[in-house]
Amino acid sequence: LQAALAEQRAIAQIGAGGGNVVRVGQVKEGDVIGYMIIGRSTCSSGTHVHFEVRKDGGLQDPSQFLSNKSVTFENSPDGSFSFGGSWSWPISDPIYIEQGYGMTDWARIGWYGGGPHTGIDIFSSYSLAVKAVKDGELFRGSIGCGGGSLSFARVDQSDGIQTFYLHTVP
């Protein structure tokens, strides 16, 4: 519980522009921008990408931006949900969903201090590569979390949307 609360605080700080952030440069949709950290890492329960979308600073449901495709849901008891956008996915098939956006079961039992899960947690059994979902400017960063350092990437798109890729390294 303490790790989840620390992660929630770190994510809120990242979304507000916090952390040690370095501008990398322009990226194109599909460019590899990092790699999932294998196993448990700072404020992470295991190998996955916490994928988050913000527009003008406000949280958005990532599933509304990602293209519809077949995925495996491993997020019981929450179950499946749909995808309604046109964006490519940040990881390669096969894709597994560990947790969705919003008031998930983990959120309802208090893992995020009563708040929602702010992104979707996904992983691939094929590749650790994480790709930009749209063109934009790439930033890499880290922030203190649970006694360690949570690593992430961020892509600022020209339409005011920022995508975040947590638990990744260059």
Side-chain angles (χ1 to χ4, degrees):
L1 178 58
Q2 292 306 315
L5 292 172
E7 181 184 26
Q8 179 193 34
R9 285 189 297 275
I11 290 171
Q13 291 172 352
I14 290 168
N20 180 19
V21 179
V22 176
R23 180 185 178 276
V24 177
Q26 294 294 312
V27 293
K28 295 287 189 191
E29 178 180 330
D31 285 353
V32 174
I33 59 171
Y35 296 89
M36 286 180 256
I37 298 170
I38 298 172
R40 296 180 77 98
S41 61
T42 299
C43 292
S44 170
S45 59
T47 307
H48 73 278
V49 174
H50 174 90
F51 178 66
E52 191 169 295
V53 178
R54 292 177 181 259
K55 181 165 177 63
D56 301 321
L59 286 167
Q60 305 289 310
D61 182 349
S63 67
Q64 300 309 303
F65 295 90
L66 293 169
S67 64
N68 192 24
K69 69 165 33 204
S70 178
V71 299
T72 301
F73 287 91
E74 293 190 349
N75 61 336
S76 181
D78 289 324
S80 65
F81 49 90
S82 60
F83 305 97
S86 60
W87 289 0
S88 60
W89 280 69
I91 60 174
S92 298
D93 292 339
I95 294 172
Y96 298 86
I97 307 286
E98 290 184 320
Q99 188 172 184
Y101 174 83
M103 291 307 292
T104 64
D105 186 59
W106 289 106
R108 287 188 298 276
I109 63 173
W111 277 89
Y112 310 110
H117 187 244
T118 58
I120 60 173
D121 290 349
I122 55 179
F123 74 95
S124 169
S125 59
Y126 173 73
S127 173
L128 297 172
V130 178
K131 302 171 279 189
V133 297
K134 297 296 281 180
D135 295 356
E137 184 142 16
L138 174 63
F139 296 82
R140 289 201 178 102
S142 63
I143 194 164
C145 186
S149 183
L150 188 157
S151 299
F152 64 93
R154 181 184 88 219
V155 175
D156 292 358
Q157 298 170 197
S158 61
D159 56 5
I161 293 178
Q162 294 178 310
T163 50
F164 294 83
Y165 311 78
L166 279 67
H167 313 301
T168 62
V169 292

